[in-house]
Amino acid sequence: MSPVKKSLLTILGLIMATTAALAAMKAMDAEVSPVPPVAGPAVDRQVTVSTEVVQDKVLKGADGRVTVSLNLTAARLPVLDNRPVQAADLVIVLDRSGSMEGRKLEDARQAVIRLLDQMGPGDRLGLVTYSSGVQTRSTLVPLTETNRRQLALAVRQLHAGGGTNLGGGLSRGIDLLMRTPAGDRQRRVILISDGLANQGVTDPVALGRMASAAVENRFTISTAGVGLDFNETLMTAIADQGAGHYHFLEDPRTFARVFEEELQSARQVAAADVAIRIPLEPGVRLISAGGYPVHHDRGTAVVRPGNLLSGQSRTLFLTFQVPTDVEKEITLGRVGLTYRHQDESHTVNAPRPLTVACVPDPAAVMASIKKDFWAEQVVREEFSQLKEAVAADIRDGKKDRAQARIQAYESKQEAINTVVGSGKVADNLSSDVQDLRRQVAETFTGAPAAVAEKKKQVSKSMQYDGYKMRRNQ
């Protein structure tokens, strides 16, 4: 056996050993295999879709994971006389439980009043509050001067007290939009919470299922967690199922920024209700899609990454698993996109299906890696997965487990990069990974009370960073 091939086999062995170690840990989903194939861009008037397989060969008998880089780019909307392009319907669902007493509720009040000043007469706003019970402070109403004054008065009269019936508030906010005709409007629910759902519906699966009604009824649900005592996993899941955004507000003074971002993004939607649809060949599975839920509908994988804004470009990494028992070319599927623009439905399909080859030669597999796409996959997708997993370990007090994840990631990427030679990945390993390692160590240093507070702050901040980067938001 030649020295080169022996070296490649050694590297591949290290990669496979690392994979086994990660699987034994049961929680780290960072994919060991790099990624898959090519299809040129597909363009219609509003959206361009391009796909690239990061690695177009997989090793016979290996785990069969391949990743596709999917880029979605929206056209720029015309601006007419500096007027808003689209009217917005917003329903704010605000936590007023006892833990919101004081600064949090006051900042929330001021942020809603400021939002009223920014919305136009063609916009509509609804307000729901919840504690142990749920109150509709205002149905969805147009922002006439009279309605503005009444809404501002209702907001100023809010007070805190009671438990956290988050599910009841979410259900009421959804109902307000579903009972009001949409027209050609961008519609969203914004759910605010600073604590754990402890009354009414509390099951995360049931709350996620509740949020999924949004995509079926052409609106989105965004969430904002305030402070350090809410459940970030739940708030992320609700936003993902509702095709919206998750915001982390460690400082409640940033309430206004969240409302402004949601309003401005509602005004600039170029492609609404975006759905990625991939008819899968037998034996092929889509196992992850940039953190978004993957649904299956009669052999087709469906992912809903939210709206595309005017001029926006987003890249998501889709990871497939293919059979590797036989040497052959494998078709993954043909990526298609459906969306709405100006209340009309559109479909864009990639020009050709994505394919990979199952081969017995490790050197051929390593040589098929496309450096730039692989580097982006590592730094954006896999490192973000690592951060989210480490954040969960920190939250659970598992310092050694977090450090083991980091070491496993570092060993795997170093082994592959010995062959690929990406400067971007080298920088990630020498800088970002070392910073992450130090952050874990520092979080668990100090008196127990200080460590407990740092665990909450660091885990939420780290999870939020990974969430945004992985979804390219």
Side-chain angles (χ1 to χ4, degrees), residues 101-151:
E101 182 70 57
R103 185 79 207 189
K104 290 178 187 175
L105 188 57
E106 178 56 28
D107 287 332
R109 287 192 196 102
Q110 295 304 318
V112 176
I113 290 171
R114 179 172 169 176
L115 177 66
L116 289 172
D117 292 336
Q118 296 174 334
M119 297 180 74
D123 299 322
R124 298 186 295 195
L125 182 69
L127 178 63
V128 172
T129 62
Y130 66 94
S131 53
S132 299
V134 180
Q135 305 81 32
T136 301
R137 304 293 178 173
S138 174
T139 58
L140 195 64
V141 295
L143 288 178
T144 63
E145 288 306 313
T146 298
N147 287 337
R148 285 179 202 273
R149 287 194 297 271
Q150 291 177 344
L151 276 161

Side-chain angles (χ1 to χ4, degrees), residues 194-207:
D194 80 326
L196 303 177
N198 56 26
Q199 296 190 11
V201 178
T202 60
D203 176 53
V205 174
L207 290 168

Side-chain angles (χ1 to χ4, degrees), residues 157-406:
Q157 292 175 340
L158 294 178
H159 64 276
T164 307
N165 187 356
L166 183 150
L170 177 60
S171 177
R172 185 75 59 85
I174 291 171
D175 187 56
L176 282 191
L177 279 186
M178 290 179 63
R179 287 193 287 109
T180 309
D184 185 19
R185 294 167 171 270
Q186 293 304 321
R187 296 151 60 81
R188 57 192 62 192
V189 172
I190 307 171
L191 172 70
I192 312 294
S193 180
D194 80 326
L196 303 177
N198 56 26
Q199 296 190 11
V201 178
T202 60
D203 176 53
V205 174
L207 290 168
R209 193 160 45 240
M210 189 184 299
S212 67
V215 296
E216 300 168 10
N217 292 277
R218 297 185 175 181
F219 61 91
T220 64
I221 297 173
S222 291
T223 61
V226 185
L228 299 177
D229 295 317
F230 66 92
N231 183 340
E232 64 269 29
T233 303
L234 173 62
M235 297 296 271
T236 303
I238 291 173
D240 281 346
Q241 292 287 354
H245 299 93
Y246 158 62
H247 305 270
F248 168 43
L249 308 182
E250 184 177 355
D251 184 345
R253 288 176 296 182
T254 56
F255 260 123
R257 175 182 56 79
V258 170
F259 292 153
E260 289 166 13
E261 286 181 5
E262 291 291 330
L263 175 61
Q264 293 309 315
S265 64
R267 298 205 188 291
Q268 294 295 318
V269 175
D273 303 334
V274 173
I276 301 162
R277 300 180 183 275
I278 310 170
L280 300 175
E281 297 296 319
V284 176
R285 293 191 302 129
L286 179 63
I287 58 176
S288 73
Y292 289 103
V294 178
H295 303 283
H296 295 274
D297 180 14
R298 291 171 290 186
T300 296
V302 181
V303 180
R304 297 183 181 276
N307 300 329
L308 284 174
L309 306 185
S310 175
Q312 185 180 30
S313 181
R314 295 178 62 192
T315 297
L316 301 177
F317 289 94
L318 312 178
T319 300
F320 296 79
Q321 189 160 43
V322 302
T324 60
D325 52 333
V326 178
E327 296 172 36
K328 64 176 182 178
E329 184 174 273
I330 302 165
T331 298
L332 302 178
R334 185 176 180 180
V335 175
L337 195 78
T338 60
Y339 69 92
R340 280 191 312 111
H341 176 69
Q342 294 181 343
D343 218 26
E344 293 182 356
S345 298
H346 298 258
T347 300
V348 192
N349 291 313
R352 61 180 182 275
L354 299 161
T355 61
V356 294
C358 181
V359 301
D361 182 6
V365 173
M366 297 297 288
S368 75
I369 296 174
K370 298 164 187 173
K371 182 168 72 173
D372 291 344
F373 287 96
W374 175 74
E376 190 69 13
Q377 174 205 339
V378 170
V379 172
R380 271 254 324 278
E381 173 74 3
E382 296 197 22
F383 187 61
S384 295
Q385 284 183 297
L386 173 65
K387 290 183 77 170
E388 291 186 84
V390 169
D393 288 336
I394 291 174
R395 182 194 64 216
D396 296 337
K398 305 293 186 181
K399 176 184 175 182
D400 291 344
R401 190 182 187 88
Q403 296 288 23
R405 289 186 193 280
I406 296 170

Side-chain angles (χ1 to χ4, degrees), residues 248 384 386-388 390-391 394 436 439-440 443 457-467:
F248 168 43
S384 295
L386 173 65
K387 290 183 77 170
E388 291 186 84
V390 169
I394 291 174
L436 187 62
Q439 197 170 8
V440 172
T443 299
Q457 191 280 328
V458 171
S459 63
K460 282 180 169 56
S461 179
M462 188 180 293
Q463 183 265 353
Y464 186 47
D465 288 345
Y467 162 89

